């Protein structure tokens, strides 16, 4: 019996090692943390300004980077000196955090980095002590990591389902565009024919919802600090809630396949299904 137990334990350890070392830069491998502990490597802390935030076991604040729209880390070289990566080979989670929200990627330099809801996690060198949150809003691309964001922001090139790169005017061209996503980085779109707080696309039987699914959000929790939370709301669409921003009902796109960083919907009648950001003009009244 003793030999069987030793053999089983060895197999388990080997499986965990393989799971950790086989991840790649393009594959956000689910991470298997150790059981929760009072000194967990990642914990939730309460902050007077930001509410619930993610910190390491020493209370140091963790951040995400809007440029990491797809499952990779784009902070390298001098950037990684200002924004050191967070990694713990023996990751443990504090109360209130879900194992399924964490992953691990391999960076360009072959080092590892922990991700939360698909977003790689970083420290900020400008934080001098536990509890400091000096990095939030830097460059309008760095945000304190929180468990209760309703939406997030991504900064990246728009590439339609047709393979064409689009600029912010939905013309072929190269441009990094900032836009709103859900908390897992899945792109959100509006529909040009909608009116203020009125969905003119979805049919009563939801027969076309599979193409442009509504973002079913009934309660707005928190948003990145450069966005105005008061511009977000929720409407009723044939009995289901839908997130709105500045009056625009918000949708996902079928061909994005729920993948963080995909924004293929911009080529569906370029300009008919735009992405939105802090400068979005309010939806027209009915």
């Amino acid at each position: 019996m003793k030999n069987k137990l030793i053999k089983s334990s060895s197999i388990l350890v080997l499986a965990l090692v393989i799971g950790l070392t086989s991840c790649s830069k393009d594959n956000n491998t689910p991470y298997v943390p150790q059981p929760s502990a009072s000194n967990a490597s990642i914990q939730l802390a309460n902050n007077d300004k930001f509410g619930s935030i993610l910190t390491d076991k020493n209370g140091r604040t963790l951040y995400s980077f809007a440029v990491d729209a797809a499952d990779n880390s784009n902070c390298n070289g001098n950037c990684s000196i200002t924004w050191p990566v967070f990694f713990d080979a023996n990751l443990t989670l504090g109360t209130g955090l879900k194992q399924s929200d964490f992953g691990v990627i391999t960076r360009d330099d072959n080092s590892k980095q922990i991700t939360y809801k698909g977003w790689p996690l970083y420290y900020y060198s400008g934080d001098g002590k536990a509890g400091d949150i000096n990095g939030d809003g830097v460059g309008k691309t760095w945000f304190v990591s929180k468990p209760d964001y309703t939406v997030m922001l991504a900064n990246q090139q728009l590439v339609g389902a047709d393979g064409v790169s689009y600029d912010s005017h939905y013309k072929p061209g190269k441009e990094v565009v900032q836009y709103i996503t859900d908390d897992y980085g899945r792109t959100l779109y509006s529909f040009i024919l909608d009116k203020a707080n009125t969905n003119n696309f979805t049919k009563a039987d939801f027969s076309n919802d599979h193409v442009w699914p509504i973002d079913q959000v009934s309660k707005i929790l928190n948003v990145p600090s450069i966005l105005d939370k008061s511009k977000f709301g929720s409407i009723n669409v044939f009995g289901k809630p839908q997130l709105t921003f500045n009056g625009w009902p918000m949708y996902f796109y079928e061909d994005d396949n729920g993948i963080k960083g995909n924004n293929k919907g911009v080529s569906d009648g370029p300009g008919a299904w735009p992405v939105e950001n802090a400068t979005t003009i309010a939806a027209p009244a009915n």
Side-chain angles (χ1 to χ4, degrees), residues 121-141:
L121 294 175
Y122 304 82
Y123 294 109
Y124 178 48
S125 62
D127 287 343
K129 62 183 184 302
D132 282 353
I133 308 181
N134 299 316
D136 187 82
V138 170
K140 296 184 178 180
T141 56

Side-chain angles (χ1 to χ4, degrees), residues 4 6 22 35 38 40 42 81 98 121 133 137 174 184 196 268-269:
K4 289 183 179 179
I6 293 174
S22 63
S38 58
I42 294 187
I81 296 174
K98 296 189 302 182
L121 294 175
I133 308 181
K174 298 289 185 179
Y184 288 90
D268 192 346

Side-chain angles (χ1 to χ4, degrees), residues 135-153:
D136 187 82
V138 170
K140 296 184 178 180
T141 56
W142 290 94
F143 303 103
V144 60
S145 185
K146 290 174 56 61
D148 53 1
Y149 280 127
T150 298
V151 298
M152 276 293 289
L153 285 164

Side-chain angles (χ1 to χ4, degrees), residues 36-73:
S36 178
S38 58
N39 62 340
S41 351
I42 294 187
Q43 303 181 11
L44 291 179
N46 288 318
N47 177 269
D48 291 341
K49 180 178 179 181
F50 293 96
S52 185
I53 64 170
L54 266 67
T55 73
D56 73 357
K57 63 184 178 183
N58 298 313
R60 294 179 61 196
T61 303
L62 297 172
Y63 299 87
S64 59
F65 188 30
V67 180
D68 293 342
D71 285 331
N72 61 348
S73 177

